[in-house]
Each structure stands twice: as structure tokens, then as C-alpha cells.
Amino acid sequence: MKEASSPNAPPLEALLLQRIPTFTSNKPHKPPPLTHETPISKTFAPADAPQGLPLTGRVISAACFLPYTLGYRHGGKWEVGNRRGSSALYDSLKRLGDGGWERVLVGWTGEVQELEGEANVEVGGGSGSGSMIEPGGLKRAKSYHVPPPVPVINDGTNRMTMKGVYGRGEEDEMIRISKRDKEVAETALAERGKEAGWGDIKPVWLGDDEKGLPIAGADRWRDYAERVIWPLFHYILPQHVSSKEEAAVKERAWWRDYRLFSDAFADAIIKVYREGDIIWIHDYHLLILPELLRQRLGKDVYIGLFVHAPWPTSEIFRVLPRRKPILAGMLASNMVAFQSETYKLHFIMCCKKLLNLTESSNREGRATGVNAFGAHCAVEALPIGIDAEKVLKSAEGPNVAAKMETIRKAYEGMHVIVGRDRLDSVRGVVHKLRAFEMLLERYPEFIGQVVLIQVTSPSSLSQSSTIEHQVAELVSHINGKYGSLHYSPVHHYPQYLEPDEYFALLRIANLGLITSVRDGMNTTSLEYVICQQETHGPVILSEFTGTAESLTDAVIVNPTNTRGVADAIATCLTLTPTERGKLQSKLYEYVITNTVQSWNSAFLRKLTMELAYNQNHPLTPALDRKRLYTMYNETEKDLKTGGIGERIFMFDYDGTLTPIVNDPDQATPSDKAVRCIKKLAQQEGNRVWIISGRDQAFLEKWLGHISELGLSAEHGCFIREPGSDRWINLAETMDMSWKALCIDIFNRYSERTPGSFVEAKNVAVTWHYRRSDQQLGKFRAKECMTELESVMKERGYAVEVMTGKANLEVRPRFVNKGEIARRLVAEAENTPAMVFCTGDDTTDEGIDMFHALQQSNLPEGRLFTVTVGPSSKPTEANYHLLEPENVIECVELLVGTVKPKELGIIV
């Protein structure tokens, strides 16, 4: 093949100057080592973890799918095949053993496929070679087992309607897998996993019931992840929003299944979990799994989450209806990591804008994580690599050379551009074809000299058929316009390639072309670099892939700039051997240095450092609403027999039953909140109290009409017992002369802080700066607090100065919410059946409610202390809820206004 030349192609230097700024530093590069001399950096072993961290040396990995597929024949015969895709992920999980880590892999079996005909291989004998199910032996089970509706003419009119028998399954068609069949499959998977080096494999079965596991309809478990999350993460926004109730019902059903999917993973992990294990969760199918695990395993469980998909900007992510539960679920991890610095910063911005959290940073000002739920969640950019050693070995396999020779003869004298993509809208195949067409239009000297070999694999997305049609039309158009009887510019192969053929193609190619419009880590580009030791073909890479921030010596393009991509192709095809060799040298060193082994080590090293740092401030788990609901209903029976005390409920007001607002007078309870609290207070066996910093007049105005409700005002200084309309002043005998001095000091700071104001209560004084500039307000509050503490101590007043949400409050020292909480528990005739206490402020912590209840002798299993809000403050509460709306949801759940199923709770 002769060297290509094009006088009009832009020089390489011009292309390299167009690179987008990246967050990855360009380190000096050394010449590439010889084949098979891949440098492997020291792997991170359990012994390398920080001292004092009680690790077992075992990693439990949770991935959506197992690396194997399952085919089933009635009677219990199974076939196991290797699952396509996600090779970098599966290679990394296998390579964990290099560092001496014990491994457990938990994953879904995927859709079990019903097989017909004779078995190719009967599994269970322990064959380690792997047996792919032949396509001719597969038959998908029907996605429904209900007779389809029949179109009929309705009552002689011209209107057609659909009639059918819905909801009655045809049991003779329903294929179910028995418990014994599953045990056989689990044994087979365990044997195969150990032989292949995966460690222990624990399959997750979904949809099981007392009749067995139905094969059909299993794709429902992926609906929310793949129909809602995946498109949004790839910047595909919903274009048609249905106004019908059916659309909302469908979304709720998908979300419920998404929660149940993670719940099944939690069950499987808990069965094998030992204290001190590291749980490593992968990708967008399992974003809320960290929260479920922390709910059930406690504060001290070690959890890391890696998101392989791209993460969108906050403006895109906020479109997601379930945005807050997803972020909160992820933040239950000790560390969350992404493919690039850009995706990491997008995630942090989502947490700041949507949850009002604060970010943490190091001395250089680089963002390092998010402060949430009483602790710190580290956020890192850790781009995954490939198993370079394995790729090198595969690329030089015994059959590859013969395949290379065949391909070279087929395209003799041609410059070969290679692309391999899934056939969906984000992989940019259409953009690639349009750029290639412009290349031939702008640089006619390449006609007859260059071919594009585009390999595509099918996608599960609904728009795949549309893209396939577009691609077919473009291929026909380009070949018809620029081809001839002996020359076709584009060769499109919509198929999976065998590994030998794939690596042969990468080795003979002259240019790798990746034009994804949104992607995480594109491993094809990394494999291409490994295979280019002889040809030294450059790689053109879309700036919208996570890989672009890692492969900084690739030619980076904007795939939507068709002319720019065409110019880049022309330049790359005309590079001199010296220029190609220089680029290849740098790319090759990066790929063989940043492998899956180094990725494993980097992730585990960062995670264990975070665990050691955060040992004294563990994350507070989200409230386990299933446990709360179960406990409430179990105590119903005990209350009827009289063998146990009442159920006691204590609620703060601001930030707990209502959101925090700038004007305290506008913080009025919603009608739903009032009705729920009233219904809870009226249920037999319940004692419900509102314990607030508000004064009596405010509580009386909005909640005083609920006679069954107990009220405590001004942090416990005034109380109104249930069934009474009389307020009792518990601070009546105290010296209140300090109030005038306190008001004078607060007034001085109000004059210096625009927007702030003083609220004088009966036995407390509060200075609010919610309406002020927050930086100025915090600065003045710190000054004011120092002055107040000094003056009050000097005068001998028995008061305390408390910080709240954008306020300072001075109150008597010996009357507080904690005293009321102790009093309510002590007054119970028998040990309370359960105690539920929730609040959002510092007055609910410390010496107040949470602390007082934790010091009581209440059985741990019957005590629910819940802090509200994603605050970064350390808490003594056992659980957290994200916002007041979630508190009301819990009350609705207990009183029966909301069914458990609507909140994704299966009882």
C-alpha cells in the first residue's frame, strides 16, 4: 500500500492545537516496551490498607449481570454461555485476585432463555472451556402469557375496540424453574466461575414465587435503568410527555421494579457478607443499592460505587423525576467514582444544586467529595483501563495471522479505517458515515484509496431499528455516489465478530475512528492502540467520550463538526511514519500502564483511605421504611393484649414537618401534613407530640385544634398535654433578666447584617439571618456567639447559646427538647412499644432529643431516631430522611393513606 498524500489536509499540529482542555496532566512519555513486557505496577493488597482498618481481605462485587448467560430446557438441563460486552469490567473483577483479595461476584442471571432441541453441552460436569449457546438452539419465551386482545366492532358501530381476557395466565404456557433446577444452575455457575478465576459466583434470581421462577417477562427489571436512566445519562431527553395517567403509572411501576431489583441484590449480598468486607457496586442499574445495604447492615459497612456510564450536567440530570432518591442512594457509599473528571464535577454539582450539599476540596482547591448525612462521601475520577496483557495475548493468537492475511488481500492497496460500535443513537455511527462522505467529497484523491469497515452490534434500545435504517441508507448512498463495480467505500457488517477476526481487523487497520456523541469509557480505542504496534495507526476520538480525557495524545474531534472530522481523517491518513510512531508511542504507554489492574488498585487504595479517614464519622443510613412499617403493625397486636406500652412519636416542626423558608411566619403546615398527624394521633395506642422551638401562639394556631396531639413550645419551656387546652410554663421560676441584654446584643448585629431580625419569644430569643447574605450572616453569627457566651458567663446567667439553621438562639440551660423526650418515655406505664423521634436541627441533637433517647434504656430495635435533610453535620440519629416530604410519606404509610407498594416496599 502506497503512502497517502493530500496537499489540502490540515497539518497534524493544527489538529493537536484544537484539543479540548483536560484535567489530566501530560506526563513525560518513555518509548514503548517490547511486546509482552507490559509493566505491571504493584497491585494494592489487603496488607497495604491503612492500619487499624478491620478488613477481611474480601471484595464483594455487585454487577448487573453475571459474566455468563443461562439457557434452560424443561427438566433441569442448563447451558451456560459467555456473556458479550463489558469485557473491561469483567476482566477487572477477575484481576482482583492479583492483589490477594478474596472475591465474591454477585450478579443477575439475566433473562433465562428457553431452549429447544438437543443440548449442545450439559452443564454441571465442570467444563472450563465455556460453551456458547448456538443461535439455532435458542428461542425466547413469549413476553406475555395472556391471550392477546381481539379487535371487534363494538355494538354494530364503526368504532373498533379490543377485547380479551386480561390477568388470567395460561399455566400450560408458563415455563417455571423449580428450586431444584436453580440449585443445579448455581452449582454449575460456581464451578465455572472458580475455574475461570472469578472466585465465588452468587446469582441473583428475580421474580421467584411459591410456584417457581417464571422465565418470561424478566426484561421488566431493566426498564427503569434502560428506558429512563440510560437515555438521560446520554443526553437523550424525553420528547413526548404523555398527559395520560397510564404514563405515570408505568413510570411508577418501572421505579418500583428498579427498587426491587436492588433489593434482590441486597438480599444476595447480605447472605454472604462478613463484617469487614468491601462491597464494590457497579453502574447505573444499582445506583440505590448503597442506601439499601447501609439501612440493613448499619453505619460501618464499607461501600464503593463506580459509575461506568457518563454522568450528565445538573441541568440535564434535574429532568429525572426520581433525581433526589437516586442521589441520596448513591451518597450512602463511602466513595463514588466516575470515568472522568468532567463526570465527577457534574455529579458534585448535582449534589450541590439539587440537595443543597457542600463540597469538600483539598489544599489545591480540587474537589474531593461531598459532605452528606453526617459524614463525607469521597468522589473520584478513576478511568478504567483494559487487561493489556490479555489483549496482547489475544491479538497474537495462533489464528490471528491467517485472518490478517485474508483481510489484507480483501483490501489490498487500501487505507483501512475501522469502527466498531453498538447500533444506537449515542455511538455516532451516522455522524461517522457523514464525515466519511465529506472526506470523499472534499478530498477526491482518496476515492479508490480508502475504505471504512464499520462493524455494528445490535442495541436493546427502542430506537435501534430507526438508526439501523439510517445507517443502511447512508451506506447505500455513499457506495452509490463514490463506488464502482470494483470499489465500495463503505463495508458495513452488522454482526458480532469472533475474537480472532476482531483483533486481526484492529491490527491491519490504518486508522481507528470513534465518533460517539456521548460515552463513558470506549474500550475499543484502547484495544486498537494495543494492536497497533506494527502499523502505528492513529486514533480519532470524540471529545464526548470519557476516554478523551485519558487518551490525550489521540486526535480529539467534535463528531457534530462533520467537516472537522473529515479534515482530521485526511490528516491522519497522510501522516509520515515518524509522526505516526511518535503518537503511537505515547498512546501505547498510557494504555499498558493504566490497566484494569492499576484501576483496581487505585479504586481500593482511595476507598480504604476514605474509610480510615471517616472511621469516627460513619454515614447515617436512610430510614428503613419497611422495618418501620413492620414494627408498627407488629406492635398493633401487642397493644391489644396490654402487654406493652404505647407507641410514642415526637416531631420537630421547622425543617421536619414543613420546609425551611426565609420568612418563619410563612412556614405553615400543608393540609396533607395536618391530616396525617391528626390521623396518627387519633389511632389507639399512639402518643404523638410536636416538640418545637416555635412559641405557643404559632403552634396553637396551626395545630392546636388537634386535641389528641401533645405540644411543646420554645424547646420544651412550655407544654400542652393531649386532651388539654392549658399551657404549662416549665421555666416559670427561672431568672429571665438576661433577655433584655440578649435582645440589645442581637439588635446591634441586626443593624450590621442587612436582612436579619430578632424574634423575642416568652423564654427564648432568636436572631435570624435567613434573608441575609449567607456568608456575611455566618461571619456575624460567629462573632455574635462569641460575644454572647462571654457576656452571659460573666454575668452568671444559666443560659446556652444554640446555633440553628441560619439563626442563633439563647434559652435557659436546663429546659430543652431532651428533657421533654426523657419525660415522655419515663411517664409511660410500660416500656414503649416503639419510639419514633425526628428533627432537623442542632436542638434535636447533642443534649437534646436524639442524645436523650440514645441514653435511655429503650430496646435498640424499637427506637427510631431520624435526622431530616442531607446536612453534613455529625448526628446521633440512627437514620436520616432527605426532606420533610419524606417524613409525611412515612406517616402516611403508618396510617394507611399510602400503601407500601406505592413506596416500593414489599411486605
Short mmCIF file of all heavy atoms in Angstrom, two decimals, residues 406-452:
data_model
loop_
_atom_site.label_atom_id
_atom_site.label_comp_id
_atom_site.label_asym_id
_atom_site.label_seq_id
_atom_site.Cartn_x
_atom_site.Cartn_y
_atom_site.Cartn_z
N THR A 406 -5.93 -12.71 5.24
CA THR A 406 -7.17 -12.74 4.45
C THR A 406 -7.75 -11.34 4.29
O THR A 406 -8.17 -10.94 3.19
CB THR A 406 -8.21 -13.65 5.14
OG1 THR A 406 -7.66 -14.95 5.28
CG2 THR A 406 -9.50 -13.70 4.35
N ILE A 407 -7.76 -10.57 5.39
CA ILE A 407 -8.32 -9.22 5.33
C ILE A 407 -7.44 -8.32 4.47
O ILE A 407 -7.94 -7.50 3.67
CB ILE A 407 -8.47 -8.64 6.76
CG1 ILE A 407 -9.45 -9.48 7.58
CG2 ILE A 407 -8.97 -7.20 6.71
CD1 ILE A 407 -9.50 -9.11 9.05
N ARG A 408 -6.11 -8.47 4.57
CA ARG A 408 -5.21 -7.64 3.76
C ARG A 408 -5.44 -7.88 2.26
O ARG A 408 -5.44 -6.95 1.46
CB ARG A 408 -3.76 -7.97 4.13
CG ARG A 408 -3.28 -7.27 5.39
CD ARG A 408 -1.76 -7.24 5.44
NE ARG A 408 -1.27 -6.60 6.64
CZ ARG A 408 -0.70 -7.24 7.65
NH1 ARG A 408 -0.58 -8.56 7.62
NH2 ARG A 408 -0.27 -6.58 8.71
N LYS A 409 -5.63 -9.14 1.91
CA LYS A 409 -5.86 -9.44 0.49
C LYS A 409 -7.19 -8.86 0.02
O LYS A 409 -7.29 -8.39 -1.12
CB LYS A 409 -5.85 -10.96 0.30
CG LYS A 409 -4.46 -11.57 0.36
CD LYS A 409 -4.50 -13.07 0.10
CE LYS A 409 -3.09 -13.67 0.13
NZ LYS A 409 -3.12 -15.13 -0.09
N ALA A 410 -8.19 -8.91 0.91
CA ALA A 410 -9.50 -8.38 0.54
C ALA A 410 -9.47 -6.87 0.30
O ALA A 410 -10.25 -6.34 -0.51
CB ALA A 410 -10.52 -8.72 1.61
N TYR A 411 -8.56 -6.17 1.02
CA TYR A 411 -8.49 -4.71 0.90
C TYR A 411 -7.09 -4.26 0.47
O TYR A 411 -6.58 -3.24 0.93
CB TYR A 411 -8.88 -4.06 2.23
CG TYR A 411 -10.26 -4.46 2.70
CD1 TYR A 411 -10.43 -5.42 3.69
CD2 TYR A 411 -11.39 -3.89 2.13
CE1 TYR A 411 -11.69 -5.80 4.11
CE2 TYR A 411 -12.65 -4.26 2.54
CZ TYR A 411 -12.80 -5.22 3.53
OH TYR A 411 -14.05 -5.60 3.92
N GLU A 412 -6.51 -5.03 -0.40
CA GLU A 412 -5.14 -4.76 -0.84
C GLU A 412 -5.06 -3.39 -1.51
O GLU A 412 -5.89 -3.01 -2.33
CB GLU A 412 -4.70 -5.86 -1.81
CG GLU A 412 -3.21 -5.81 -2.12
CD GLU A 412 -2.76 -7.02 -2.92
OE1 GLU A 412 -3.61 -7.87 -3.25
OE2 GLU A 412 -1.56 -7.10 -3.20
N GLY A 413 -4.03 -2.65 -1.10
CA GLY A 413 -3.81 -1.33 -1.68
C GLY A 413 -4.67 -0.23 -1.09
O GLY A 413 -4.60 0.92 -1.53
N MET A 414 -5.47 -0.56 -0.07
CA MET A 414 -6.38 0.41 0.53
C MET A 414 -5.90 0.85 1.91
O MET A 414 -5.29 0.08 2.65
CB MET A 414 -7.78 -0.19 0.68
CG MET A 414 -8.44 -0.59 -0.61
SD MET A 414 -9.02 0.86 -1.51
CE MET A 414 -9.72 0.06 -2.95
N HIS A 415 -6.24 2.10 2.26
CA HIS A 415 -6.13 2.55 3.65
C HIS A 415 -7.41 2.13 4.35
O HIS A 415 -8.52 2.47 3.89
CB HIS A 415 -5.97 4.07 3.72
CG HIS A 415 -4.66 4.56 3.18
ND1 HIS A 415 -3.53 4.64 3.94
CD2 HIS A 415 -4.33 4.97 1.93
CE1 HIS A 415 -2.53 5.10 3.21
NE2 HIS A 415 -2.98 5.29 1.98
N VAL A 416 -7.27 1.40 5.44
CA VAL A 416 -8.43 0.84 6.13
C VAL A 416 -8.73 1.66 7.38
O VAL A 416 -7.88 1.79 8.27
CB VAL A 416 -8.20 -0.63 6.51
CG1 VAL A 416 -9.39 -1.16 7.33
CG2 VAL A 416 -8.00 -1.48 5.27
N ILE A 417 -9.92 2.22 7.40
CA ILE A 417 -10.42 2.90 8.61
C ILE A 417 -11.39 1.93 9.29
O ILE A 417 -12.27 1.36 8.63
CB ILE A 417 -11.16 4.20 8.26
CG1 ILE A 417 -10.24 5.14 7.47
CG2 ILE A 417 -11.67 4.89 9.53
CD1 ILE A 417 -10.96 6.36 6.93
N VAL A 418 -11.23 1.73 10.57
CA VAL A 418 -12.07 0.76 11.26
C VAL A 418 -12.91 1.45 12.34
O VAL A 418 -12.45 2.36 13.03
CB VAL A 418 -11.21 -0.37 11.88
CG1 VAL A 418 -10.31 0.16 12.97
CG2 VAL A 418 -12.09 -1.49 12.42
N GLY A 419 -14.16 1.00 12.46
CA GLY A 419 -15.04 1.45 13.54
C GLY A 419 -15.84 0.26 14.04
O GLY A 419 -16.28 -0.58 13.25
N ARG A 420 -16.01 0.17 15.35
CA ARG A 420 -16.87 -0.87 15.91
C ARG A 420 -17.73 -0.23 16.98
O ARG A 420 -17.23 0.34 17.95
CB ARG A 420 -16.05 -2.01 16.53
CG ARG A 420 -16.96 -3.16 16.96
CD ARG A 420 -16.24 -4.18 17.81
NE ARG A 420 -15.99 -3.68 19.16
CZ ARG A 420 -15.79 -4.46 20.22
NH1 ARG A 420 -15.82 -5.77 20.10
NH2 ARG A 420 -15.55 -3.93 21.40
N ASP A 421 -19.05 -0.32 16.81
CA ASP A 421 -19.97 0.39 17.70
C ASP A 421 -21.25 -0.41 17.86
O ASP A 421 -21.62 -1.22 16.99
CB ASP A 421 -20.33 1.77 17.13
CG ASP A 421 -19.12 2.61 16.80
OD1 ASP A 421 -18.64 3.31 17.69
OD2 ASP A 421 -18.66 2.54 15.63
N ARG A 422 -21.96 -0.12 18.98
CA ARG A 422 -23.33 -0.60 19.09
C ARG A 422 -24.21 0.30 18.25
O ARG A 422 -23.93 1.49 18.08
CB ARG A 422 -23.80 -0.59 20.55
CG ARG A 422 -23.43 -1.82 21.31
CD ARG A 422 -24.44 -2.10 22.43
NE ARG A 422 -24.53 -1.02 23.40
CZ ARG A 422 -23.75 -0.93 24.47
NH1 ARG A 422 -22.83 -1.85 24.70
NH2 ARG A 422 -23.91 0.06 25.31
N LEU A 423 -25.28 -0.27 17.75
CA LEU A 423 -26.13 0.47 16.83
C LEU A 423 -27.21 1.23 17.59
O LEU A 423 -28.37 0.83 17.66
CB LEU A 423 -26.77 -0.49 15.83
CG LEU A 423 -27.21 0.12 14.49
CD1 LEU A 423 -26.05 0.84 13.82
CD2 LEU A 423 -27.76 -0.97 13.58
N ASP A 424 -26.81 2.35 18.22
CA ASP A 424 -27.78 3.22 18.86
C ASP A 424 -27.38 4.67 18.60
O ASP A 424 -26.30 4.94 18.06
CB ASP A 424 -27.92 2.92 20.36
CG ASP A 424 -26.60 3.00 21.11
OD1 ASP A 424 -25.86 3.98 20.91
OD2 ASP A 424 -26.29 2.09 21.90
N SER A 425 -28.22 5.59 19.00
CA SER A 425 -28.03 6.98 18.60
C SER A 425 -26.81 7.65 19.21
O SER A 425 -26.32 8.64 18.67
CB SER A 425 -29.29 7.79 18.95
OG SER A 425 -29.53 7.75 20.34
N VAL A 426 -26.30 7.14 20.33
CA VAL A 426 -25.20 7.84 21.00
C VAL A 426 -23.83 7.39 20.52
O VAL A 426 -22.82 8.02 20.86
CB VAL A 426 -25.30 7.68 22.54
CG1 VAL A 426 -26.62 8.17 23.04
CG2 VAL A 426 -25.04 6.25 22.96
N ARG A 427 -23.76 6.30 19.74
CA ARG A 427 -22.44 5.81 19.31
C ARG A 427 -21.93 6.57 18.09
O ARG A 427 -20.79 6.37 17.67
CB ARG A 427 -22.49 4.32 19.00
CG ARG A 427 -23.04 3.47 20.12
CD ARG A 427 -22.23 3.59 21.39
NE ARG A 427 -22.93 2.98 22.52
CZ ARG A 427 -22.52 2.98 23.77
NH1 ARG A 427 -21.39 3.58 24.07
NH2 ARG A 427 -23.23 2.42 24.72
N GLY A 428 -22.77 7.40 17.48
CA GLY A 428 -22.30 8.29 16.43
C GLY A 428 -21.97 7.62 15.11
O GLY A 428 -21.14 8.14 14.35
N VAL A 429 -22.59 6.46 14.79
CA VAL A 429 -22.30 5.80 13.52
C VAL A 429 -22.76 6.67 12.35
O VAL A 429 -22.07 6.79 11.34
CB VAL A 429 -22.98 4.41 13.48
CG1 VAL A 429 -22.70 3.73 12.13
CG2 VAL A 429 -22.47 3.53 14.61
N VAL A 430 -23.93 7.29 12.50
CA VAL A 430 -24.42 8.17 11.44
C VAL A 430 -23.47 9.36 11.26
O VAL A 430 -23.15 9.74 10.13
CB VAL A 430 -25.85 8.66 11.77
CG1 VAL A 430 -26.29 9.75 10.80
CG2 VAL A 430 -26.83 7.49 11.74
N HIS A 431 -23.00 9.93 12.36
CA HIS A 431 -22.04 11.05 12.26
C HIS A 431 -20.76 10.60 11.55
O HIS A 431 -20.19 11.34 10.75
CB HIS A 431 -21.68 11.55 13.67
CG HIS A 431 -22.84 12.12 14.43
ND1 HIS A 431 -23.82 11.35 14.97
CD2 HIS A 431 -23.15 13.42 14.74
CE1 HIS A 431 -24.70 12.12 15.58
NE2 HIS A 431 -24.34 13.37 15.44
N LYS A 432 -20.33 9.39 11.84
CA LYS A 432 -19.11 8.85 11.23
C LYS A 432 -19.28 8.71 9.72
O LYS A 432 -18.39 9.09 8.93
CB LYS A 432 -18.81 7.49 11.86
CG LYS A 432 -17.49 6.88 11.44
CD LYS A 432 -17.30 5.50 12.05
CE LYS A 432 -17.41 5.53 13.57
NZ LYS A 432 -17.12 4.22 14.17
N LEU A 433 -20.43 8.18 9.29
CA LEU A 433 -20.67 7.99 7.86
C LEU A 433 -20.75 9.33 7.13
O LEU A 433 -20.24 9.47 6.00
CB LEU A 433 -21.95 7.18 7.67
CG LEU A 433 -21.88 5.70 8.09
CD1 LEU A 433 -23.26 5.08 8.08
CD2 LEU A 433 -20.93 4.93 7.19
N ARG A 434 -21.38 10.30 7.77
CA ARG A 434 -21.48 11.62 7.12
C ARG A 434 -20.11 12.27 7.01
O ARG A 434 -19.80 12.93 6.00
CB ARG A 434 -22.44 12.51 7.91
CG ARG A 434 -23.90 12.10 7.70
CD ARG A 434 -24.85 12.90 8.55
NE ARG A 434 -26.24 12.54 8.27
CZ ARG A 434 -27.23 12.66 9.13
NH1 ARG A 434 -27.00 13.16 10.34
NH2 ARG A 434 -28.46 12.32 8.79
N ALA A 435 -19.27 12.10 8.03
CA ALA A 435 -17.91 12.65 7.97
C ALA A 435 -17.10 11.95 6.89
O ALA A 435 -16.31 12.58 6.17
CB ALA A 435 -17.24 12.51 9.32
N PHE A 436 -17.29 10.63 6.76
CA PHE A 436 -16.56 9.88 5.73
C PHE A 436 -17.01 10.31 4.33
O PHE A 436 -16.19 10.44 3.42
CB PHE A 436 -16.79 8.38 5.92
CG PHE A 436 -15.99 7.52 5.00
CD1 PHE A 436 -14.61 7.42 5.13
CD2 PHE A 436 -16.60 6.83 3.97
CE1 PHE A 436 -13.87 6.62 4.27
CE2 PHE A 436 -15.87 6.04 3.09
CZ PHE A 436 -14.49 5.93 3.25
N GLU A 437 -18.30 10.57 4.18
CA GLU A 437 -18.80 11.06 2.89
C GLU A 437 -18.17 12.41 2.57
O GLU A 437 -17.75 12.66 1.42
CB GLU A 437 -20.32 11.18 2.93
CG GLU A 437 -20.91 11.69 1.62
CD GLU A 437 -22.42 11.92 1.70
OE1 GLU A 437 -22.98 11.84 2.81
OE2 GLU A 437 -23.01 12.19 0.63
N MET A 438 -18.07 13.29 3.56
CA MET A 438 -17.46 14.60 3.31
C MET A 438 -15.98 14.46 2.99
O MET A 438 -15.43 15.24 2.18
CB MET A 438 -17.68 15.53 4.50
CG MET A 438 -17.10 16.91 4.28
SD MET A 438 -17.76 18.17 5.38
CE MET A 438 -19.36 18.47 4.64
N LEU A 439 -15.32 13.47 3.59
CA LEU A 439 -13.91 13.23 3.25
C LEU A 439 -13.78 12.96 1.75
O LEU A 439 -12.90 13.54 1.09
CB LEU A 439 -13.39 12.02 4.05
CG LEU A 439 -12.02 11.48 3.61
CD1 LEU A 439 -10.91 12.36 4.15
CD2 LEU A 439 -11.83 10.04 4.06
N LEU A 440 -14.62 12.07 1.22
CA LEU A 440 -14.53 11.73 -0.19
C LEU A 440 -14.93 12.92 -1.07
O LEU A 440 -14.43 13.06 -2.20
CB LEU A 440 -15.42 10.53 -0.49
CG LEU A 440 -15.07 9.25 0.29
CD1 LEU A 440 -16.04 8.13 -0.07
CD2 LEU A 440 -13.64 8.82 0.04
N GLU A 441 -15.81 13.77 -0.56
CA GLU A 441 -16.24 14.95 -1.32
C GLU A 441 -15.15 16.01 -1.34
O GLU A 441 -14.84 16.59 -2.40
CB GLU A 441 -17.52 15.52 -0.70
CG GLU A 441 -18.05 16.75 -1.40
CD GLU A 441 -19.27 17.33 -0.68
OE1 GLU A 441 -20.09 16.56 -0.17
OE2 GLU A 441 -19.37 18.58 -0.62
N ARG A 442 -14.53 16.27 -0.20
CA ARG A 442 -13.52 17.33 -0.09
C ARG A 442 -12.14 16.87 -0.55
O ARG A 442 -11.32 17.68 -0.97
CB ARG A 442 -13.44 17.84 1.35
CG ARG A 442 -14.58 18.75 1.76
CD ARG A 442 -14.49 19.16 3.22
NE ARG A 442 -13.19 19.69 3.62
CZ ARG A 442 -12.73 20.92 3.37
NH1 ARG A 442 -13.49 21.74 2.64
NH2 ARG A 442 -11.55 21.30 3.78
N TYR A 443 -11.89 15.59 -0.44
CA TYR A 443 -10.57 15.05 -0.80
C TYR A 443 -10.75 13.91 -1.81
O TYR A 443 -10.60 12.73 -1.48
CB TYR A 443 -9.84 14.55 0.44
CG TYR A 443 -9.65 15.61 1.51
CD1 TYR A 443 -10.56 15.74 2.56
CD2 TYR A 443 -8.57 16.48 1.47
CE1 TYR A 443 -10.40 16.72 3.54
CE2 TYR A 443 -8.39 17.46 2.45
CZ TYR A 443 -9.32 17.56 3.48
OH TYR A 443 -9.14 18.53 4.45
N PRO A 444 -11.11 14.22 -3.04
CA PRO A 444 -11.40 13.17 -4.03
C PRO A 444 -10.21 12.27 -4.32
O PRO A 444 -10.38 11.18 -4.87
CB PRO A 444 -11.83 13.96 -5.27
CG PRO A 444 -11.29 15.35 -5.07
CD PRO A 444 -11.28 15.58 -3.60
N GLU A 445 -9.00 12.73 -3.97
CA GLU A 445 -7.83 11.88 -4.19
C GLU A 445 -7.88 10.59 -3.39
O GLU A 445 -7.14 9.63 -3.67
CB GLU A 445 -6.54 12.65 -3.85
CG GLU A 445 -6.43 13.12 -2.41
CD GLU A 445 -6.99 14.51 -2.18
OE1 GLU A 445 -7.87 14.95 -2.97
OE2 GLU A 445 -6.53 15.17 -1.23
N PHE A 446 -8.76 10.55 -2.34
CA PHE A 446 -8.87 9.33 -1.53
C PHE A 446 -9.86 8.33 -2.12
O PHE A 446 -9.96 7.20 -1.64
CB PHE A 446 -9.30 9.69 -0.11
CG PHE A 446 -8.21 10.29 0.73
CD1 PHE A 446 -8.33 11.57 1.26
CD2 PHE A 446 -7.05 9.58 0.98
CE1 PHE A 446 -7.34 12.12 2.03
CE2 PHE A 446 -6.03 10.13 1.75
CZ PHE A 446 -6.17 11.40 2.28
N ILE A 447 -10.64 8.73 -3.12
CA ILE A 447 -11.59 7.79 -3.72
C ILE A 447 -10.80 6.66 -4.38
O ILE A 447 -9.89 6.88 -5.17
CB ILE A 447 -12.48 8.50 -4.76
CG1 ILE A 447 -13.33 9.59 -4.09
CG2 ILE A 447 -13.39 7.50 -5.48
CD1 ILE A 447 -14.14 10.45 -5.06
N GLY A 448 -11.14 5.45 -4.04
CA GLY A 448 -10.41 4.28 -4.53
C GLY A 448 -9.18 3.94 -3.72
O GLY A 448 -8.53 2.92 -3.95
N GLN A 449 -8.87 4.80 -2.72
CA GLN A 449 -7.68 4.59 -1.89
C GLN A 449 -8.01 4.23 -0.44
O GLN A 449 -7.14 3.77 0.29
CB GLN A 449 -6.83 5.87 -1.88
CG GLN A 449 -6.38 6.35 -3.23
CD GLN A 449 -5.30 5.46 -3.81
OE1 GLN A 449 -4.42 4.99 -3.09
NE2 GLN A 449 -5.39 5.20 -5.10
N VAL A 450 -9.25 4.46 -0.01
CA VAL A 450 -9.58 4.29 1.40
C VAL A 450 -10.93 3.60 1.52
O VAL A 450 -11.84 3.82 0.70
CB VAL A 450 -9.60 5.66 2.13
CG1 VAL A 450 -10.67 6.57 1.56
CG2 VAL A 450 -9.81 5.49 3.63
N VAL A 451 -11.05 2.73 2.52
CA VAL A 451 -12.33 2.07 2.83
C VAL A 451 -12.61 2.22 4.32
O VAL A 451 -11.69 2.24 5.14
CB VAL A 451 -12.34 0.57 2.46
CG1 VAL A 451 -12.26 0.37 0.97
CG2 VAL A 451 -11.25 -0.18 3.19
N LEU A 452 -13.89 2.34 4.62
CA LEU A 452 -14.34 2.36 6.01
C LEU A 452 -15.00 1.01 6.31
O LEU A 452 -16.01 0.67 5.68
CB LEU A 452 -15.34 3.50 6.25
CG LEU A 452 -16.09 3.48 7.59
CD1 LEU A 452 -15.13 3.62 8.77
CD2 LEU A 452 -17.15 4.58 7.64
#
